[in-house]
Amino acid sequence: MLEFLLPGMRLTKNQKNILTLLTIGLILYGAGYLLLSKVVLPQDFTDARIRAAKQAEELVLMLNESSKNLNLIAQSDRDFEFNKALSLTDEELLRAKQTKKKAGEINNELVTMLQSTPSISPVKARNLAMEAMSYEVSLLKKIIAYNDSLSALLQTLNYKFSGDIRYDADDVQKLIENMNDNAREINELNNLYNQRMKEFDEITK
């Protein structure tokens, strides 16, 4: 044991014992601190996060494709190409069902992540993960709401192009407004999620 003393200073036997106990205490405290601050990242959490990210990319591609086809539907409507517009709405109604299924798959991965989050260490990383997960759950709910509005819009347009009397132009505008509101909230929640996970990655890398 190293002794850092002033010149000419001498320790009594009791002082040496106290110093020894203090040193042991500091060593144990340091070991405990390192143990508590050690990074623990459950494999289930990591694996589910990777799968969810991949599925989210697929979901975004599906929604982007639907957005493009909505523009094509609108153009076909302006050009009085109602058969083409009807075909596109049928195609997109099917895609909307697939999108909802994909959202369900992502939800399952989020459940796995949430279940393994309590095992994450250190505490700050765990809290960041919990906060990020809360944003992601809210985001997924908004995506489902967006997709529901999209499905309703497509069905309404389907009525229009097939000459169904259930078509209501007012419904179209309301549904588009709902979709735009959800899209804004989705972007905000996604930014918050990404910020928290960036902080999480800095701590656990």
Side-chain angles (χ1 to χ4, degrees), residues 39-41 49 120-122 125 199-205:
V39 172
V40 176
L41 198 54
R49 182 184 176 187
I120 293 175
S121 182
E199 295 177 52
F200 174 86
D201 289 336
E202 286 295 321
I203 294 174
T204 58
K205 65 182 180 180

Side-chain angles (χ1 to χ4, degrees), residues 64-108:
N64 286 341
E65 193 64 28
S66 292
S67 179
K68 291 177 184 177
N69 280 345
L70 276 176
N71 290 330
L72 290 176
I73 290 169
Q75 185 60 52
S76 298
D77 185 18
R78 289 191 292 269
D79 295 340
F80 303 101
E81 296 178 339
F82 299 131
N83 286 334
K84 179 180 178 180
L86 183 60
S87 177
L88 285 168
T89 55
D90 287 338
E91 178 184 331
E92 286 310 310
L93 280 168
L94 178 60
R95 194 194 306 277
K97 291 180 181 179
Q98 296 170 340
T99 300
K100 191 168 186 177
K101 182 180 178 182
K102 182 63 66 178
E105 292 173 2
I106 295 173
N107 182 70
N108 291 338

Side-chain angles (χ1 to χ4, degrees), residues 73 77 82-83 85-86 89 156-164:
I73 290 169
D77 185 18
F82 299 131
N83 286 334
L86 183 60
T89 55
T156 300
L157 292 174
N158 186 281
Y159 292 152
K160 176 182 180 179
F161 302 134
S162 62
D164 195 302

